Amino acid sequence: MSIYDNLNSMQQEAVFHTEGPLLILAGAGSGKTRVLTHRAVYLIEEKGINPYHIMAITFTNKAAGEMRERIDQLVGVGAESIWVSTFHSTCVRILRRHIDRLGYDTHFTIYDTDDQKNLMKDICKRMEIDTKLYKERSFLSAISKAKDELISPEEFTLRAAGDFVKERQAAVYREYQAMLYKNNALDFDDLIVKAVELLQQDGQVLDYYQERFRYIMVDEYQDTNTAQFQLIKLLAAKYQNLCVVGDDDQSIYKFRGANIKNILDFEEVYPDAKVIKLEQNYRSTQNILDAANMVIANNIGRKAKELWTDNGVGEKIDFDQLDSAYEEAEYILRDIQKKVRNGRYRYGECAVLYRTNAQSRLFEEQFVVNNIPYKVVGGVNFYSRKEIKDLLAYLKTIDNGRDDLAVRRIINVPKRGIGATTLSRVQEYADQEGISFYQALRMADDISNIGRGGVKIKPFVTFIQTMRSKVEFLSVSQLLQEIIEQTGYVEELEAEDTDESKARIENIDELISKAAAYEEAEEAPTLSGFLEEVALVADIDSLEDGSDYVVLMTLHSAKGLEFPNVYLAGLEDGLFPGYMAITADDPMELEEERRLCYVGITRAMTDLTITCAKQRMIRGDTQYNKISRFVEEIPGNLLTRAAKQKPAVKSQSEASIQSFGRAGAKLNPLFNTRNVYQNKSYQSTSFATKSTSKISLEYTNGDRVKHIKFGEGTVQQIVEGGRDYEVTVQFDKVGTKKMFASFAKLKKV
């Protein structure tokens, strides 16, 4: 029996079509990874292609690792020659070999988000930019978007002519790139941009990789941006054997630069392309798929496809509208407890998905109080913690002395008494001489106005130089341990003897374990290689297989995952879809939100529960939202919509809050009035202290009014309170809102 007999007819067609451009439209749960791995096997075993000429590329380390493992199992000998990698890892490998042709040193540093922020702060300070008016993050965002579209600083400057804000962004962009170059560093966007630049400018390098990668397969093609599209187009230009796999209905990363046109316009770029649809789903029940199909069918910008399965009809989707966000979290908690108690699921088979990170708080509070194991995916990244960044900065300085940010971070960690004035004079000298900050430190004796500061600098320079001399004969983990011992980093934490310092020591231990694991996995481990791997780790890769805890995550983080029991929380117009998408002029904004809903629904294998709240506290305001339009797009015969009665007996925390107002919140600080119901008389009284005179209204009950953000609506109720009026409005697009008249500034229409 052939391994290809386990594939369905459309999967077989995708595997057997090996020559020329191929677009595989793979619906959620349709076995696309199986197709890609079997296709690699078919190329080698049936077509006689040398594994060396095959490339498989995807987005996350987790996906690349899974693909590599499956290919190794199927192919056996020779599988290691297949290039299986993420986009960023691929570009790093290319640039490590050839970036010197662009004027960089091959020992370049990869800057993470915090490094970029620190560099931008320095630039804004140097350029005397008022960061109260122009935020550093807005500059970084503009630069990232430009790089996603392969817009250079020079082109950005030309496009900005006549626009003061964009001209300022252009100036910052030019300086930012100049500083990166000076520091021999690349940010994440540069990894793709510089690889494209290299291939465009150097025909010899381009020809080498076109010959190397004669058969290219790209996973998650709907998530590619313009720069990634151009990279793949360049590599595949010679042989045109390009197979892309993706689902336009799961394109949800526009905010990261993803360009859905890459997949929608594939046949325009490659007129000879063959298109194959994978519509059989192996993950979910038919009821879940029918709901997903009905929701996504409302999008216009998509390629038609309809998921189906042999898994059976399954249970209906449980839809529940609760009175408050607090009750929503409590309901989901109780449902998980019941299903675990009945033996239907383990905690690790349950996931709570939501639109925004802020929604996790109530679930976390409920789970902590009820002793339910859980993990929030997409929180603070391990490598963003202070102690980890400090030690990595030491390693970066040892590996690449031109990285000024790393050097400045650790020159006084631990404290060495090197003052700000001394550091400022070192920087001035570095700028005058056109050298790196570390080089200036090494030449401290030549800085005439440095005074006694030079004496304190020497031990630091001596230490770094000593560590550099040991790189060749110490492993990364040994080097790390020596840094910790020589600097006394852990010793200082032990002296603190607090829970926080103990946790930080545990994190350092984990970093050492990570270094040791890297050494064990690599045939030729290097310091540069370790720093490169650490820089490329994504949040989603931290999700451990087989762990028994409930997973809390945003819908964006959930893509690519599956769970037997899924809860979609907060399905309310204004929250999901959000106000910005509802009120946007571009209908594509709402279509992306609908695709996100489609992704959420299709994460569920057996059970799906959708919940929403009649009222929810957002940014300190109680909002009354309609049921999400996405829920309304699901046919009623697929849902159980039994009205949920309020509990006859309130929970102790809720009862105390409602009985005692602010005092109740103090009795149980875990749950405050923002979680349950706000006392209306307290709202009015607190506002009255801020008001000075009674306002007058130009509208009354039943009048049509307009709000600057929510648009037009009808006044439902006006309640006098203190020196203001509490106005309830049923808005046409975003549902019912309750607000104070002086703040709302409603206009009668």
Side-chain angles (χ1 to χ4, degrees):
M1 180 178 175
S2 167
I3 62 170
Y4 310 111
D5 292 339
N6 294 324
L7 304 175
N8 65 45
S9 59
M10 300 309 293
Q11 290 175 332
Q12 288 179 350
E13 187 177 352
V15 167
F16 300 155
H17 185 89
T18 59
E19 306 304 309
L22 172 64
L23 170 61
I24 302 175
L25 290 171
S30 61
K32 64 182 177 64
T33 304
R34 182 193 298 180
V35 169
L36 286 175
T37 52
H38 279 68
R39 196 169 186 274
V41 176
Y42 186 79
L43 283 168
I44 296 167
E45 295 186 347
E46 303 299 328
K47 303 295 288 186
I49 305 301
N50 189 327
Y52 180 81
H53 293 307
I54 300 172
M55 176 192 208
I57 192 166
T58 187
F59 279 83
T60 68
N61 294 323
K62 184 182 179 70
E66 181 182 348
M67 195 181 299
R68 163 59 71 190
E69 185 178 345
R70 290 201 196 182
I71 289 175
D72 288 350
Q73 290 174 350
L74 291 171
V75 176
V77 179
E80 67 280 356
S81 298
I82 300 175
W83 187 305
V84 182
S85 181
T86 65
F87 271 99
H88 289 97
S89 295
T90 293
C91 291
V92 168
R93 287 174 68 179
I94 293 172
L95 294 172
R96 286 289 181 209
R97 290 187 63 181
H98 306 289
I99 199 172
D100 55 327
R101 301 185 182 215
L102 297 178
Y104 287 79
D105 187 291
T106 54
H107 288 279
F108 59 83
T109 296
I110 301 171
Y111 274 9
D112 63 14
T113 303
D114 284 346
D115 294 329
Q116 290 177 267
K117 288 177 182 176
N118 290 333
L119 179 59
M120 186 56 69
K121 284 180 182 178
D122 289 345
I123 290 170
C124 288
K125 185 177 181 180
R126 185 176 304 178
M127 296 180 69
E128 298 182 344
I129 293 173
D130 185 350
T131 52
K132 292 181 180 179
L133 293 175
Y134 305 98
K135 302 295 183 184
E136 291 106 330
R137 66 175 177 269
S138 67
F139 287 123
L140 288 170
S141 176
I143 291 169
S144 181
K145 288 177 181 177
K147 290 182 179 181
D148 285 344
E149 296 298 320
L150 291 176
I151 299 171
S152 66
E154 294 74 25
E155 185 178 349
F156 194 100
T157 301
L158 291 174
R159 294 187 182 190
D163 186 322
F164 178 78
V165 173
K166 289 193 177 298
E167 285 178 344
R168 178 60 62 90
Q169 290 175 344
V172 171
Y173 186 7
R174 291 194 301 272
E175 182 65 18
Y176 176 78
Q177 285 306 111
M179 292 303 297
L180 282 175
Y181 182 75
K182 177 177 177 291
N183 289 353
N184 194 40
L186 304 178
D187 62 21
F188 263 75
D189 296 319
D190 275 335
L191 296 178
I192 311 294
V193 172
K194 292 302 176 185
V196 171
E197 188 179 321
L198 175 67
L199 296 175
Q200 287 175 332
Q201 293 183 13
D202 197 306
Q204 185 180 8
V205 174
L206 176 62
D207 185 66
Y208 171 81
Y209 285 105
Q210 286 179 340
E211 284 295 328
R212 170 76 194 268
F213 305 131
R214 298 185 185 184
Y215 290 85
I216 299 174
M217 295 183 287
V218 184
D219 193 13
E220 304 289 5
Y221 191 67
Q222 77 281 346
D223 293 336
T224 55
N225 59 32
T226 300
Q228 290 161 336
F229 163 78
Q230 191 62 39
L231 175 75
I232 295 301
K233 187 180 178 185
L234 284 165
L235 292 174
K238 189 169 186 177
Y239 289 98
Q240 298 279 302
N241 295 324
L242 172 63
C243 168
V244 301
V245 184
D247 183 4
D248 50 301
D249 289 335
Q250 296 187 70
S251 179
I252 59 173
Y253 295 126
K254 182 181 178 183
F255 69 98
R256 293 183 188 170
N259 187 348
I260 193 174
K261 289 185 178 180
N262 290 347
I263 191 167
L264 293 179
D265 297 345
F266 187 80
E267 296 107 305
E268 292 183 21
V269 179
Y270 299 98
D272 298 331
K274 183 176 179 62
V275 179
I276 297 174
K277 296 180 182 180
L278 304 182
E279 297 173 294
Q280 182 175 358
N281 176 283
Y282 294 91
R283 173 189 299 158
S284 308
T285 63
Q286 192 61 54
N287 269 341
I288 291 171
L289 297 181
D290 285 345
N293 288 332
M294 294 303 293
V295 170
I296 202 63
N298 290 278
N299 273 5
I300 297 172
R302 66 185 293 261
K303 292 179 178 291
K305 69 186 81 67
E306 189 164 320
L307 299 179
W308 62 275
T309 187
D310 285 333
N311 291 343
V313 175
E315 298 292 330
K316 288 187 177 182
I317 297 164
D318 187 14
F319 171 68
D320 300 282
Q321 184 183 32
L322 290 306
D323 282 343
S324 68
Y326 172 85
E327 287 188 12
E328 177 188 45
E330 188 174 50
Y331 170 76
I332 289 175
L333 167 87
R334 301 301 175 206
D335 197 60
I336 291 172
Q337 285 180 319
K338 181 179 70 176
K339 289 174 178 174
V340 171
R341 189 168 55 248
N342 294 342
R344 186 168 183 178
Y345 295 117
R346 295 181 300 105
Y347 288 121
E349 295 174 317
C350 304
V352 182
L353 312 181
Y354 36 79
R355 180 64 181 84
T356 65
N357 277 307
Q359 288 171 258
S360 72
R361 181 177 63 86
L362 280 175
F363 293 108
E364 289 191 72
E365 290 173 350
Q366 287 279 6
F367 286 14
V368 167
V369 169
N370 290 277
N371 202 28
I372 301 298
Y374 75 94
K375 180 175 182 178
V376 179
V377 176
V380 177
N381 189 295
F382 175 81
Y383 297 102
S384 295
R385 294 167 180 163
K386 181 184 182 302
E387 60 275 13
I388 304 303
K389 289 191 72 68
D390 285 346
L391 293 172
L392 289 177
Y394 267 106
L395 293 178
K396 288 177 181 179
T397 300
I398 293 166
D399 185 57
N400 172 23
R402 288 171 58 186
D403 186 353
D404 287 0
L405 284 182
V407 179
R408 292 179 72 96
R409 180 181 182 94
I410 46 96
I411 193 167
N412 270 317
V413 178
K415 293 177 182 178
R416 296 183 173 90
I418 305 172
T421 302
T422 299
L423 296 178
S424 178
R425 287 171 178 167
V426 172
Q427 185 64 62
E428 288 172 5
Y429 182 80
D431 292 342
Q432 290 170 7
E433 298 297 320
I435 58 177
S436 71
F437 185 77
Y438 182 71
Q439 285 176 300
L441 290 174
R442 294 184 65 183
M443 301 169 66
D445 290 340
D446 297 336
I447 304 175
S448 58
N449 59 350
I450 202 171
R452 294 182 179 179
V455 177
K456 298 176 180 178
I457 288 172
K458 282 185 179 179
F460 172 76
V461 172
T462 301
F463 173 70
I464 296 298
Q465 292 302 112
T466 302
M467 290 296 102
R468 282 185 171 179
S469 68
K470 296 181 179 183
V471 168
E472 291 185 8
F473 56 88
L474 284 184
S475 67
V476 178
S477 57
Q478 290 171 334
L479 191 67
L480 194 53
Q481 288 172 321
E482 184 141 344
I483 291 169
I484 292 167
E485 184 178 334
Q486 294 297 324
T487 59
Y489 198 103
V490 168
E491 195 173 325
E492 283 192 4
L493 292 175
E494 287 173 338
E496 290 180 23
D497 196 30
T498 63
D499 289 341
E500 182 181 355
S501 65
K502 290 174 183 176
R504 292 175 66 187
I505 292 171
E506 290 174 358
N507 291 335
I508 292 171
D509 291 339
E510 183 63 24
L511 181 63
I512 296 171
S513 298
K514 167 64 181 176
Y518 162 77
E519 291 157 5
E520 188 175 329
E522 293 291 322
E523 289 185 12
T526 64
L527 177 56
S528 294
F530 174 72
L531 291 171
E532 175 185 309
E533 181 167 306
V534 164
L536 296 172
V537 170
D539 283 354
I540 198 67
D541 293 329
S542 66
L543 183 59
E544 301 166 10
D545 294 330
S547 300
D548 195 25
Y549 46 67
V550 179
V551 174
L552 306 179
M553 62 169 63
T554 64
L555 286 152
H556 282 104
S557 297
K559 186 170 171 294
L561 303 176
E562 59 184 36
F563 302 91
N565 185 36
V566 169
Y567 300 86
L568 289 186
L571 267 289
E572 303 142 29
D573 266 17
L575 183 61
F576 188 31
Y579 296 129
M580 298 297 287
I582 293 172
T583 58
D585 294 331
D586 184 359
M588 292 301 103
E589 296 292 330
L590 186 59
E591 293 212 351
E592 175 130 347
E593 289 282 288
R594 187 174 282 109
R595 291 194 292 271
L596 191 58
C597 183
Y598 173 84
V599 166
I601 293 172
T602 54
R603 297 313 94 194
M605 300 168 68
T606 307
D607 277 322
L608 173 62
T609 300
I610 298 176
T611 61
C612 65
K614 292 180 181 177
Q615 66 174 24
R616 185 180 301 274
M617 188 67 68
I618 298 178
R619 289 183 289 276
D621 295 325
T622 301
Q623 294 188 0
Y624 298 81
N625 295 326
K626 295 190 298 184
I627 294 172
S628 171
R629 63 195 64 201
F630 300 152
V631 176
E632 302 295 349
E633 290 169 356
I634 300 174
N637 65 304
L638 299 178
L639 299 171
T640 58
R641 302 181 66 147
K644 298 292 173 183
Q645 298 292 326
K646 277 187 70 174
V649 181
K650 298 183 180 70
S651 65
Q652 183 178 359
S653 58
E654 182 182 342
S656 67
I657 290 170
Q658 290 189 331
S659 300
F660 300 106
R662 298 176 75 186
K666 291 180 179 179
L667 291 174
N668 191 341
L670 192 59
F671 304 107
N672 55 42
T673 53
R674 292 174 58 163
N675 295 341
V676 199
Y677 302 98
Q678 287 196 331
N679 185 294
K680 291 182 180 178
S681 62
Y682 168 66
Q683 281 185 320
S684 300
T685 303
S686 66
F687 182 84
T689 62
K690 300 176 185 177
S691 305
T692 55
S693 61
K694 190 78 171 182
I695 68 169
S696 60
L697 303 179
E698 62 178 32
Y699 48 83
T700 186
N701 286 341
D703 283 349
R704 295 284 293 173
V705 293
K706 186 173 183 179
H707 186 274
I708 190 170
K709 179 178 179 182
F710 303 136
E712 294 188 5
T714 304
V715 177
Q716 300 290 312
Q717 186 180 29
I718 300 175
V719 178
E720 186 173 345
R723 296 190 177 113
D724 200 356
Y725 296 94
E726 190 178 73
V727 183
T728 303
V729 181
Q730 174 69 43
F731 288 102
D732 299 341
K733 292 185 176 180
V734 298
T736 304
K737 303 291 176 190
K738 187 175 290 187
M739 59 200 77
F740 287 112
S742 60
F743 286 153
K745 295 181 172 58
L746 299 168
K747 300 293 183 182
K748 186 176 178 180
V749 295

